[in-house]
Amino acid sequence: MKKITVENLVQKFSLKVLAGEDQLQKEITQSRAHRPGLEFVGYFDFFPTERVQILGKKEITYLHKLSKEERKIRIGNIVHYHPPCFIVTAGEDGLTYLKHHCEEQKIPLLVTKQPEITSDFITKLDAYLVKELAPEIAVHGVCVNVSGIGILIRGNSGVGKSETAHTLIRRGHRLVADDIVVLKKLSPQTILGTHDEKTREFLALRSIGLLNVVRLYGRKAFQDETRITLEINLTKWEKDALYNDLDQEVRYTDYMGVKIPTMDIQLVPGRDVAGLIEAAANNWYLKQQGYNAAEEFMSRIEAELSNADKQ
């Protein structure tokens, strides 16, 4: 898991530091922000103290209307729990009292450079934290986005994963990661595939060397991340090992508790592997829309047999 600090939030969202500049190395461990509403009126039974606390126009207006003594009590009750930081989205006017409390308790007080709609800011912040704090593993393979479908290509070293990715890029699809693919678990159903920064935009081809796909083919050849929806294993050719069943039984590979549909493609000279991956991706998409080619084919056969029986 990547380490996230308050300073990372300051840099990511261009926040202004009003207090606690020497406390920006505080770690953030929770992937959701919190708006303290009930806490300001004294209810703390479910107060998520380890979350980033967001103060919007509603909260700041409420605090402004309190008497000096009452405000001191309300804010004091919250800062007593030492959350990682406060972020104000309603501008910095009139925050002297809040700044004083944060300085006293050594809590960073941050403010957006321009007033923002609080719910919109929380959405952006949560999305960032969920990605950055997600459990992750690194696997050997290639990650591509084929017609909007994220595919993880696996196989033994030298089997042709990168060469296949290069063909897909030439056909208008996008590289996400080559060699090392970082998988992040965003939810019990979602695995995100991305690169490890060092290999960003690079594709390594044997006999050719290292390529920068963006320099060669333009921005459309690369994207930073994609949801993994299908895994394809490239395997060596085995005689009599191919199946001609109308509809292949779905197999799955488990990554951090998330099951990804998996299929094998055997390699042999002259076989259009990139074309087969395109077909697999498009066929998977059609199945998600409720269409199954094998079922339609069988229904035609059954209809023909039924008509023959009537004649």
Side-chain angles (χ1 to χ4, degrees), residues 10-111:
V10 172
Q11 296 171 349
K12 173 68 178 179
F13 297 100
S14 301
L15 303 173
K16 183 176 179 179
V17 181
L18 294 186
E21 197 161 358
D22 59 344
Q23 299 293 318
L24 298 184
Q25 293 308 310
K26 280 191 172 184
E27 283 193 48
I28 297 169
T29 60
Q30 298 297 312
S31 58
R32 302 285 181 184
H34 176 67
R35 291 184 77 172
L38 290 174
E39 291 77 16
F40 277 131
V41 295
Y43 186 77
F44 288 91
D45 284 7
F46 300 98
F47 182 34
T49 59
E50 296 181 349
R51 293 189 186 182
V52 174
Q53 304 297 313
I54 307 296
L55 304 178
K57 187 175 181 180
K58 180 170 60 176
E59 291 80 16
I60 294 301
T61 300
Y62 170 76
L63 291 174
H64 285 350
K65 290 182 177 180
L66 297 176
S67 67
K68 183 177 179 180
E69 293 74 17
E70 184 68 16
R71 192 160 54 216
K72 182 178 180 180
I73 294 172
R74 300 297 185 192
I75 298 174
N77 287 340
I78 290 181
V79 298
H80 171 74
Y81 287 93
H82 292 91
C85 67
F86 289 97
I87 301 178
V88 178
T89 62
E92 59 181 290
D93 293 341
L95 297 182
T96 304
Y97 59 87
L98 187 57
K99 181 179 178 181
H100 171 75
H101 279 278
C102 289
E103 287 176 341
E104 191 176 69
Q105 296 294 327
K106 299 185 182 301
I107 301 172
L109 174 60
L110 317 174
V111 61

Side-chain angles (χ1 to χ4, degrees), residues 251-264:
R251 296 184 294 110
Y252 296 92
T253 301
D254 187 288
Y255 290 108
M256 296 176 286
V258 181
K259 294 183 185 246
I260 303 297
T262 303
M263 64 178 296
D264 295 335

Side-chain angles (χ1 to χ4, degrees), residues 215-240:
R215 295 293 183 92
L216 282 176
Y217 303 115
R219 291 302 318 168
K220 63 181 177 58
F222 174 80
Q223 69 182 58
D224 266 316
E225 57 193 30
T226 188
R227 178 178 178 177
I228 303 295
T229 53
L230 185 64
E231 176 180 285
I232 294 179
N233 290 311
L234 302 186
T235 62
K236 291 184 178 180
W237 180 269
E238 293 181 21
K239 188 178 180 181
D240 300 325

Side-chain angles (χ1 to χ4, degrees), residues 203-215:
L203 182 68
L205 298 179
R206 281 178 169 78
S207 303
I208 304 297
L210 201 60
L211 306 179
N212 186 309
V213 298
V214 172
R215 295 293 183 92

